[in-house]
C-alpha cells in the first residue's frame, strides 16, 4: 500500500461506517467514459459539496489493491451493468493537492509533487526502475509499455495551487510550472494510453486560464454548467426527508436552512455537508464559518464595481440579479467586473445560479446569514444598520404599531438612498425587504406575489410550526395608505394568501414625494 498509489479503500470505508447518502451512481457515469475520448473529467463544485467524498468513493471502487465489493453491493452502482467489469481492476494514483498548499511558498512545489509520486510508484513497481532525467510521465509510459497497466488518476482539489498563488502575486512561477506539469501529464499524445481515466475535483473550472490548451481535453462540470452531473452535487429533497425521519428532525427546518440550490436541471438541492452536520448535532445552524472563505467573500463583495453593491442588496432582499458567467476567466487574480464577482460567489456556493434565466440569488437561510455578516464587514453601514434593526421592525409590525413602522421604514430609506433611490413601488419593496430581513427566520418571503387578480408587493408567509400571522405589504409611491388597503381587499389578496396561512396582517405603506414622509396603516384580517 502506497502513499499515493494503491492506497486501498479506507477513505470510503470511513464514510460507510457513518451516515452515507448514496451517490454511487456517479461511478457508472465515469465507467462509461473509460478508454474513450471523454475519459478525462473535471467536476468542480463548492466547498462542502462532497468533492472529496466522490474522489474517495471512486478510488475505493477502482483500486486494485483491495476488495471493495462489500462496500458497494448495497448501493445504486451494484445494479449497474458496469459494476463488476471495473471493480478493483486498476492501479489508482490519488493525489490530494490541498496537502501541498503549505509548501507553495517554499518554491519548487511542482517538482516536489512529481518526485514524491515517482518515488511512491517506484516502490509499487520495483522491477521497473525510473531512469536518470525522466519525469513522472516518462516513468508511467515505461510501466505501461512493459506491463500493459493502465492507470486511474484521481486529483482532489486540482486548483489549490492556482488559487493559493492568486492570493500571492509573488508566486507567478509556481502557477506556470504547475500548468506545464498538467500539460505534460494530460496532453502528452504518446502518454494518452497510460490512463484509463482521469478524474479531477476542485472549486474553479479550468478552461479559461490563459494556458487553457493545457486542459482543453477535459470534460467539465461545474456549479454553472453541471450537465448530467447535477444530481451528484448535493442532496435531493427525498434524501434529506429520509435523513430527517431517521434522526427525528424537522424537515421544514432543514429545508429553510440548507435547500435552495438550483444545479443545472436539478431545481432543489441541499448543501450536503451542512445537512450532515445538522443531523449529527440535532439542530440547524450555519456551518459556513468552518470553510475559511468568509474573509475572501467580504473582500469580493466590497469591490467597487458598478452595480455590484446594488445586486448584493437586491439578493439579500430576496430578489435576483442577472449575471453573465461566460466572461470570468476562472482566475481569482483576474476579477474584473460585477459579473466576475457574482460568478465567483456561485462557484463558492454563496449564490445559486438559474441557468435558464441566467440569474443568481441567495439560496437559503444559512447562506443569507453569512452574506449579511459579510456585509457588516464591508463598511456598508446603512445596510448593516437596517439588518440589525429589522428584528424591531418585525416586532412593531406584529403588534400593530403603525407609527413606529412608518418611522423605521423612513429611517431605512433615508440611510440607503445612496444605494437604492426611490422611483417606484419596486425600489420601495427592495428597501422594505432589507428592513424586514430578520423575518426570514420565521417567514418565507415573496416579492410580487401572484394572487390571481394582481401582484402583492411583499408577502410573508409563516413557515410551518410558526405561530405568527401572515403579512401582506402593499406599497404606494405618491399615494395614500387608504388606497393601498383598498387595493389589498379589492384584489382579494387575503383570500389567496389564506391558502397558505390563517390570520394575517394587512400592512399599507405609502411615501409622499413632496414631504418625503412615510405613512403606515395596519389592519388584521381573520380567515372566515
Amino acid at each position: 500500500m502506497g502513499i499515493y498509489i494503491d492506497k486501498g479503500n479506507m477513505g470510503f470505508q470511513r464514510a460507510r461506517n457513518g451516515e452515507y447518502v448514496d451517490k454511487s451512481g456517479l461511478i457508472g457515469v465515469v465507467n462509461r467514459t473509460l478508454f474513450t475520448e471523454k475519459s478525462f473529467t473535471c467536476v468542480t463544485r463548492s466547498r462542502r459539496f462532497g468533492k472529496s467524498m466522490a474522489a474517495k468513493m471512486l478510488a475505493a471502487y477502482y483500486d486494485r489493491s483491495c476488495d471493495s465489493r462489500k462496500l458497494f453491493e448495497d448501493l445504486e452502482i451494484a445494479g449497474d451493468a458496469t459494476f463488476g467489469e471495473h471493480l478493483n481492476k486498476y492501479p489508482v494514483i490519488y493525489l490530494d493537492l490541498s496537502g501541498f498548499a503549505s509548501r507553495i511558498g517554499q518554491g519548487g512545489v511542482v517538482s516536489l509533487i512529481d518526485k514524491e509520486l515517482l518515488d511512491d510508484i517506484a516502490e509499487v513497481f520495483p522491477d521497473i526502475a525510473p531512469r536518470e532525467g525522466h519525469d513522472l510521465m516518462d516513468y508511467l509510459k515505461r510501466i505501461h509499455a512493459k506491463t500493459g497497466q493502465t492507470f486511474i488518476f484521481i486529483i482532489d482539489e486540482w486548483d489549490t495551487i492556482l488559487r493559493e498563488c492568486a492570493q500571492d502575486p509573488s508566486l507567478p512561477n509556481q502557477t506556470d510550472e504547475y500548468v506545464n506539469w498538467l500539460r505534460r501529464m494530460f496532453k502528452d499524445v504518446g502518454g494518452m494510453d497510460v490512463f484509463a481515466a482521469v478524474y479531477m475535483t476542485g472549486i474553479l473550472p479550468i478552461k479559461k486560464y490563459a494556458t487553457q490548451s493545457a486542459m482543453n481535453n477535459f470534460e467539465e462540470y461545474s456549479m454553472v454548467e453541471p450537465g448530467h452531473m447535477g444530481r451528484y452535487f448535493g442532496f435531493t429533497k427525498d434524501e434529506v426527508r429520509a435523513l430527517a425521519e431517521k434522526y427525528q428532525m424537522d424537515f421544514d427546518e432543514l429545508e429553510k436552512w440548507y435547500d435552495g440550490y438550483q444545479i443545472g436541471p436539478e431545481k432543489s438541492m441541499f448543501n450536503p455537508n451542512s445537512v450532515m452536520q445538522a443531523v449529527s448535532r440535532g439542530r440547524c445552524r450555519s456551518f459556513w464559518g468552518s470553510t475559511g472563505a468568509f474573509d475572501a467573500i467580504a473582500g469580493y463583495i466590497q469591490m467597487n464595481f458598478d452595480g455590484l453593491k446594488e445586486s448584493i442588496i437586491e439578493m439579500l432582499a430576496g430578489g435576483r440579479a442577472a449575471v453573465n458567467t461566460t466572461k470570468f476567466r476562472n482566475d481569482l487574480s483576474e476579477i474584473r467586473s460585477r459579473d466576475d464577482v457574482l460568478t465567483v460567489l456561485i462557484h463558492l456556493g454563496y449564490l445559486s445560479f438559474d441557468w435558464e434565466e441566467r440569474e443568481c440569488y441567495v439560496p437559503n437561510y444559512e447562506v443569507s446569514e453569512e452574506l449579511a455578516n459579510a456585509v457588516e464587514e464591508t463598511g456598508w453601514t446603512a445596510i448593516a444598520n437596517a439588518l440589525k434593526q429589522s428584528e424591531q421592525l418585525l416586532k412593531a409590525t406584529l403588534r400593530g404599531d403603525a407609527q413606529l413602522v412608518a418611522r423605521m421604514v423612513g429611517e431605512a430609506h433615508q440611510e440607503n438612498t445612496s444605494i437604492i433611490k426611490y422611483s417606484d413601488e419596486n425600489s420601495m419593496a427592495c428597501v422594505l425587504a432589507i428592513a424586514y430581513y430578520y423575518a426570514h427566520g420565521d417567514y418565507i418571503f415573496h416579492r410580487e406575489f401572484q394572487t390571481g387578480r394582481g401582484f402583492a408587493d411583499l408577502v410573508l408567509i409563516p413557515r410551518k410550526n410558526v405561530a405568527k400571522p401572515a403579512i401582506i405589504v402593499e406599497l404606494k409611491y405618491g399615494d395614500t395608505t387608504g388606497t393601498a388597503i383598498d387595493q389589498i381587499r379589492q384584489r382579494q389578496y387575503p383570500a389567496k394568501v389564506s391558502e397558505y396561512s390563517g390570520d394575517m396582517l394587512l400592512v399599507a405603506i405609502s411615501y409622499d414625494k413632496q414631504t418625503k414622509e412615510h405613512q403606515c396603516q395596519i389592519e388584521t384580517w381573520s380567515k372566515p
Side-chain angles (χ1 to χ4, degrees):
M1 182 178 292
I3 299 173
Y4 302 105
I5 186 171
D6 292 350
K7 290 185 62 174
N9 57 22
M10 184 53 67
F12 188 57
Q13 177 70 66
R14 290 179 181 274
R16 291 305 319 269
N17 289 344
E19 185 66 60
Y20 176 69
V21 173
D22 187 0
K23 295 295 179 181
S24 65
L26 174 65
I27 298 172
V29 175
V30 177
N31 278 350
R32 288 168 178 79
T33 71
L34 267 59
F35 303 104
T36 73
E37 293 182 349
K38 297 183 180 296
S39 62
F40 285 25
T41 303
C42 182
V43 179
T44 54
R45 38 181 152 164
S46 308
R47 286 183 176 93
R48 304 156 66 255
F49 269 77
K51 299 187 303 294
S52 296
M53 178 67 74
K56 291 173 183 177
M57 177 186 70
L58 291 168
Y61 172 79
Y62 290 116
D63 196 318
R64 67 176 185 174
S65 69
C66 56
D67 182 357
S68 299
R69 183 171 293 274
K70 288 186 178 180
L71 283 178
F72 291 101
E73 61 186 5
D74 62 333
L75 300 180
E76 178 185 344
I77 185 58
D80 191 285
T82 65
F83 175 59
E85 182 181 356
H86 301 291
L87 178 65
N88 301 130
K89 297 291 177 62
Y90 302 91
V92 174
I93 303 171
Y94 187 98
L95 177 63
D96 182 355
L97 281 172
S98 64
F100 288 86
S102 62
R103 309 188 201 184
I104 291 175
Q106 300 171 9
V109 67
V110 173
S111 60
L112 178 63
I113 293 171
D114 205 62
K115 182 180 183 305
E116 289 197 8
L117 286 174
L118 193 148
D119 290 346
D120 198 44
I121 294 170
E123 292 186 12
V124 175
F125 293 93
D127 296 333
I128 308 173
R131 290 178 176 174
E132 184 73 24
H134 280 201
D135 62 10
L136 176 61
M137 192 67 236
D138 288 323
Y139 188 39
L140 292 177
K141 286 193 287 186
R142 287 188 62 233
I143 294 173
H144 174 68
K146 289 182 175 296
T147 67
Q149 289 282 1
T150 52
F151 296 83
I152 301 286
F153 202 151
I154 298 173
I155 302 180
D156 195 10
E157 302 286 359
W158 85 271
D159 57 334
T160 295
I161 293 176
L162 297 169
R163 285 187 281 110
E164 292 291 330
C165 289
Q167 309 303 318
D168 188 344
S170 69
L171 301 172
N173 291 337
Q174 298 279 338
T175 299
D176 294 341
E177 289 175 10
Y178 178 56
V179 172
N180 286 334
W181 183 80
L182 293 171
R183 178 186 293 112
R184 172 70 173 133
M185 291 300 300
F186 305 129
K187 287 287 287 184
D188 185 296
V189 177
M192 293 297 290
D193 293 338
V194 168
F195 303 113
V198 176
Y199 183 92
M200 300 200 309
T201 78
I203 293 176
L204 295 179
I206 59 181
K207 281 192 174 179
K208 292 185 181 178
Y209 282 96
T211 49
Q212 68 179 45
S213 62
M215 308 286 282
N216 63 5
N217 56 328
F218 275 79
E219 296 292 318
E220 291 192 76
Y221 306 91
S222 72
M223 298 295 281
V224 171
E225 292 288 347
H228 59 274
M229 291 285 192
R231 61 177 288 224
Y232 304 113
F233 275 46
F235 288 172
T236 66
K237 282 186 182 292
D238 288 342
E239 290 165 344
V240 175
R241 192 172 281 110
L243 287 170
E245 183 176 350
K246 179 176 181 179
Y247 288 90
Q248 297 183 323
M249 290 195 69
D250 184 347
F251 171 77
D252 297 312
E253 191 72 2
L254 289 167
E255 185 177 41
K256 174 185 81 173
W257 277 86
Y258 311 122
D259 189 13
Y261 288 95
Q262 179 173 337
I263 303 179
E266 303 295 332
K267 301 291 187 180
S268 182
M269 300 292 281
F270 290 67
N271 182 311
N273 182 274
S274 293
V275 169
M276 296 307 295
Q277 295 245 35
V279 298
S280 69
R281 287 169 169 77
R283 71 184 185 93
C284 295
R285 65 179 180 85
S286 174
F287 298 103
W288 279 90
S290 61
T291 66
F294 176 81
D295 291 340
I297 294 305
Y300 289 133
I301 67 174
Q302 66 181 338
M303 288 181 171
N304 191 28
F305 295 121
D306 287 344
L308 176 60
K309 185 179 291 188
E310 290 84 351
S311 293
I312 296 296
I313 292 168
E314 174 70 26
M315 288 185 288
L316 273 175
R320 291 183 168 217
V323 57
N324 182 350
T325 61
T326 63
K327 294 181 179 180
F328 179 49
R329 297 178 62 84
N330 302 328
D331 187 337
L332 295 181
S333 66
E334 297 187 33
I335 306 296
R336 302 172 175 177
S337 67
R338 161 196 171 276
D339 285 333
D340 284 353
V341 172
L342 297 181
T343 304
V344 168
L345 295 180
I346 292 168
H347 287 303
L348 292 175
Y350 281 84
L351 297 175
S352 185
F353 180 61
D354 183 331
W355 69 332
E356 295 173 329
E357 300 296 331
R358 317 306 291 180
E359 295 175 334
C360 57
Y361 57 94
V362 178
N364 52 47
Y365 190 56
E366 179 186 38
V367 176
S368 181
E369 276 202 335
E370 290 305 307
L371 276 178
N373 290 338
V375 163
E376 292 189 22
E377 297 292 319
T378 63
W380 299 358
T381 306
I383 295 298
N385 287 342
L387 295 175
K388 289 179 180 178
Q389 294 170 6
S390 63
E391 180 178 5
Q392 298 306 315
L393 177 62
L394 177 62
K395 289 180 178 179
T397 304
L398 291 175
R399 65 174 179 265
D401 191 339
Q403 186 175 357
L404 180 56
V405 169
R407 180 171 65 80
M408 294 187 73
V409 170
E411 291 173 354
H413 168 231
Q414 186 63 35
E415 287 188 336
N416 292 293
T417 51
S418 62
I419 303 171
I420 305 172
K421 294 180 172 60
Y422 276 6
S423 59
D424 53 24
E425 280 87 357
N426 186 58
S427 55
M428 287 179 68
C430 187
V431 171
L432 258 293
I434 286 291
Y436 277 106
Y437 175 81
Y438 179 83
H440 280 279
D442 289 333
Y443 288 89
I444 299 173
F445 273 53
H446 295 276
R447 296 265 300 274
E448 293 293 314
F449 185 83
Q450 186 171 4
T451 66
R453 296 185 64 181
F455 294 84
D457 291 316
L458 184 64
V459 173
L460 282 62
I461 296 177
R463 299 181 185 277
K464 292 181 180 179
N465 304 319
V466 173
K468 293 180 180 179
I471 302 172
I472 300 176
V473 183
E474 186 66 25
L475 307 171
K476 285 300 172 186
Y477 179 76
D479 211 329
T480 66
T481 57
T483 301
I485 287 289
D486 288 343
Q487 181 171 315
I488 292 174
R489 294 186 177 281
Q490 290 169 6
R491 296 187 178 180
Q492 299 179 3
Y493 295 165
K496 179 63 176 179
V497 176
S498 68
E499 297 176 12
Y500 308 93
S501 177
D503 293 348
M504 63 193 72
L505 297 176
L506 313 184
V507 180
I509 298 175
S510 66
Y511 176 70
D512 190 311
K513 293 184 288 185
Q514 302 301 320
T515 65
K516 301 188 183 303
E517 292 183 350
H518 292 78
Q519 299 294 326
C520 177
Q521 182 176 337
I522 300 176
E523 294 186 3
T524 300
W525 185 91
S526 296
K527 191 173 183 178

